[in-house]
Amino acid sequence: MTMEKLIIEGRHPLNGEIKISGAKNAALPILAASLLTTSPIQISNIPHLQDVTTIVSLLGQMGVKITLDERSNIEVDASSLDSFQAPYELVRTMRASILVLGPLLSRFGEAEVSLPGGCAIGTRPVDQHLKGLKAMGAEIILQNGYIKAKAKKLKGATIVMDMVTVTGTENLIMAAVLAEGQTIIHNAAREPEVEDLANFLNTLGAEISGAGSQTISINGVKALRGGKYHVLPDRIETGTYLAAAVITSGKIKLKNTRPDFLKSVLLKFEETGAIIDTGEDWISLDMKGNRPHAINFSTAPYPAFPTDMQAQMMAVNSIAQGTGVITETVFENRFMHVQELIRMGARIELKGNTAICTGTDKLHGAPVMATDLRASASLVLAGLAAKGETAIDRIYHIDRGYECIEEKLTQLGARIHRIPSETKD
Ligand code: EPU
C-alpha cells in the first residue's frame, strides 16, 4: 500500500459551499443487498471511497458483474454467482463485509464469511447477527476463523435483539426478505441508513415495514426484481464539515444533504454558538467569527448523538471556551484520537468512557497518526484550527469514509495537501 500524509496549515477560517456525497453506511448494505436479486439494478449517489471499492471487490469475487461510472452510478448484475465465500483478506480490511452473510445465506442456502475479529475501536462481536439467523433456522458453526452458515430455506421468526446493532439489523432484514413467512425484529436499529436499505429493498418488491422504528416487520417474498435507487446523503460527512466551520469560526453551506437526519448534532452545534439555517436538502452554519463554546453529550444509537461524530466534537471541545464532557457509550475503546489531540496541545482527561476536555486557544500543529476513520477526521479538524503545520500520517483511514476530503476543504479555503509518506506499515 502506498502511504500518504495530509499536510495542513491551520488557522484559515472556512467559507463557502460544497456538496455532500452519498452515505457510506447506506451504500455498503445496499450493495450487499444486490446479491438478493438476479435482475439488474442501478444505484446512484454511490460515494467514491475505499470501503466501497472493498465491497465491490468482494462482490466481484463472488461472480457479481459491476459497472461503475465517473458520476457515482453503479450497475450491479448478480444473476450468475459462483462463490458464497467472503475471505479473510477482504473482511479483515473492512468489518462491514459481514453484511454479505444474510444475503448469501438467503440466496445460496449457504455462506462462509470470515469472522471480523477485533478492530481499533473495540472488540465488536457479531453474536446478534448469528443469533437472529439461527432463529430463522440457520445452522451456524465457527471453524478456522470462519462463520459457516447453512439453511435449506430460511423461515420467518420473531427476534428480540439484545442490543441495538446497525449492521446486525441490516443483515437480518436482508436474510428475512426472501424467507418463508413473517419476521419481526424488536429493538432494531433506527439509523437512517437502515431505513434507506429497507426503502431500496422495497423498490425491488420486498415487503418491509417499520424501518426507522424499533420494530421492523418483513413479509418474505418469493423473489425480488431489478430497479433503480438513489443513496441518501452522508450525515456523518455533513456533521464533519459543519464541525470544520465551527472549529475555524467560519461560515459554510452544505448542499445535497438532509438536515432532518442530524437533529441531535445540529442542536449541539447551536450550543457552541453557531447560527444554523436549513432547507429540505441544505444546511448553512455561521460562527460569526466567534470561538465555539464547549459542549457536553453522551453517544447512543440514533436518534441520539452518533458515536461517529464523537471524535470530531472532541476536536471542537479542545479549542472551545470552557470545559466539555463527552461520554462514549456505543464502543468501549473509541478514544484513540485523544492522545494525538493532546500532542497538539489539547487538555483532555480520560476517566473510563468519559473525556473531560478544557478548551485552549493554543492548539499547535504536530506530526500525528490516524488510527481509525473518525479519529482521523478529528485530527484534520484540529489541524485546521491549530497554529502552524500538522502532518497526519496513515490517511488511508480517511479515504475509507471521506470522498475527496482535501478537494472539498480546499474549496472552502483550507490549506491542505497530500504528499507521499515514508512510513512503513
Ligand atoms: N455489538 C455486539 N454484538 C453484535 C453486534 C454489535 O455486541 O452482534 C456491539 C458492538 O460491539 C458495539 C455496539 O454493539 O459496541 C454497536 O455496534 P453496531 O453493530 O451498531 O456497529 P456496526 O453495525 O458494526 C455501524 C457503522 C459504524 C458505526 C456503528 C454505530 C456501518 C458499516 N458501520 O457499525 O460506522 O459506528 O454502526 O453507529 O454501518 C464509521 O462509519 O466510522 C463506523 C464505524
Side-chain angles (χ1 to χ4, degrees):
M1 188 191 302
T2 357
M3 288 285 171
E4 289 175 321
K5 276 187 198 180
L6 278 179
I7 306 291
I8 302 173
E9 185 196 299
R11 299 236 165 145
H12 297 281
L14 299 195
N15 201 319
E17 277 187 20
I18 52 167
K19 280 189 186 158
I20 293 302
S21 302
K24 164 177 88 77
N25 290 348
L28 296 175
I30 286 173
L31 286 168
S34 66
L35 284 168
L36 289 167
T37 176
T38 52
S39 306
I41 53 177
Q42 291 165 347
I43 309 165
S44 51
N45 209 26
I46 292 276
H48 294 256
L49 297 171
Q50 188 52 45
D51 276 7
V52 168
T53 308
T54 303
I55 198 134
V56 163
S57 316
L58 186 56
L59 297 176
Q61 281 201 359
M62 291 168 183
V64 179
K65 293 188 196 71
I66 297 173
T67 331
L68 275 145
D69 77 13
E70 285 300 304
R71 292 176 31 242
S72 313
N73 302 316
I74 281 191
E75 276 186 33
V76 187
D77 176 352
S79 54
S80 53
L81 292 189
D82 46 29
S83 158
F84 47 78
Q85 263 205 344
Y88 176 65
E89 292 67 41
L90 285 172
V91 178
R92 124 192 126 88
T93 63
M94 186 182 74
R95 293 182 47 85
S97 309
I98 189 75
L99 285 166
V100 299
L101 179 61
L104 280 182
L105 187 58
S106 173
R107 172 94 182 263
F108 275 113
E110 194 164 355
E112 283 190 19
V113 178
S114 171
L115 265 172
C119 76
I121 62 178
T123 49
R124 297 179 81 181
V126 291
D127 56 300
Q128 298 301 306
H129 303 231
L130 305 188
K131 185 180 129 175
L133 293 174
K134 281 182 189 161
M136 295 170 74
E139 275 175 43
I140 297 183
I141 54 166
L142 302 181
Q143 204 175 50
N144 306 332
Y146 276 77
I147 301 164
K148 298 189 174 177
K150 275 191 185 160
K152 271 213 185 72
K153 179 78 189 158
L154 290 171
K155 294 202 167 55
T158 295
I159 299 162
V160 183
M161 310 292 274
D162 294 333
M163 82 253 314
V164 177
T165 152
V166 176
T167 51
T169 304
E170 291 166 346
N171 238 334
L172 299 182
I173 292 175
M174 292 187 283
V177 158
L178 297 176
E180 213 173 272
Q182 190 185 47
T183 299
I184 299 181
I185 307 173
H186 292 286
N187 199 25
R190 288 180 282 169
E191 270 66 4
E193 294 75 20
V194 173
E195 206 180 333
D196 210 39
L197 169 68
N199 290 341
F200 164 66
L201 286 166
N202 284 343
T203 64
L204 306 184
E207 292 180 14
I208 305 166
S209 59
S213 79
Q214 275 167 326
T215 307
I216 301 178
S217 77
I218 303 125
N219 286 326
V221 295
K222 289 236 153 45
L224 296 180
R225 47 177 187 260
K228 284 187 181 172
Y229 198 72
H230 189 80
V231 174
L232 96 171
D234 198 310
R235 66 195 162 98
I236 306 300
E237 188 197 22
T238 304
T240 303
Y241 285 104
L242 292 174
V246 170
I247 208 166
T248 60
S249 307
K251 179 182 175 185
I252 64 170
K253 183 171 181 183
L254 304 178
K255 296 188 295 192
N256 292 16
T257 187
R258 286 281 299 271
D260 49 329
F261 292 143
L262 278 138
K263 288 195 184 100
S264 60
V265 174
L266 295 183
L267 285 170
K268 286 294 151 192
F269 282 131
E270 278 177 341
E271 284 180 32
T272 70
I275 312 290
I276 294 176
D277 202 5
T278 60
E280 202 183 324
D281 63 352
W282 58 267
I283 303 176
S284 70
L285 182 150
D286 188 354
M287 285 305 283
K288 302 272 180 203
N290 294 320
R291 187 175 155 202
H293 293 281
I295 46 170
N296 306 318
F297 63 88
S298 277
T299 65
Y302 191 84
F305 195 92
T307 173
D308 289 345
M309 276 300 296
Q310 179 257 109
Q312 299 89 316
M313 289 305 214
M314 188 91 75
V316 169
N317 269 356
S318 58
I319 62 106
Q321 304 178 51
T323 297
V325 180
I326 297 180
T327 302
E328 171 59 56
T329 75
V330 178
F331 291 109
E332 78 265 28
N333 184 27
R334 209 176 195 181
F335 279 144
M336 263 94 47
H337 42 288
V338 167
Q339 290 311 320
E340 299 298 300
L341 291 171
I342 289 173
R343 299 187 56 247
M344 299 177 70
R347 295 182 291 183
I348 307 170
E349 197 190 333
L350 285 181
K351 284 193 177 149
N353 64 345
T354 296
I356 303 150
C357 179
T358 303
T360 167
D361 60 358
K362 294 195 176 57
L363 278 196
H364 46 77
V368 289
M369 195 76 92
T371 50
D372 70 73
L373 172 57
R374 308 303 169 188
S376 330
S378 85
L379 298 177
V380 170
L381 297 176
L384 293 173
K387 188 157 187 268
E389 188 182 279
T390 298
I392 308 175
D393 214 336
R394 305 213 168 151
I395 53 161
Y396 56 87
H397 290 291
I398 299 187
D399 297 331
R400 292 186 55 184
Y402 290 93
E403 184 174 40
C404 302
I405 189 163
E406 65 266 39
E407 284 86 348
K408 289 190 184 186
L409 283 172
T410 301
Q411 202 174 325
L412 294 170
R415 307 281 164 88
I416 178 168
H417 64 279
R418 192 179 280 247
I419 59 163
S421 150
E422 302 81 54
T423 306
K424 303 267 182 296
D425 207 30

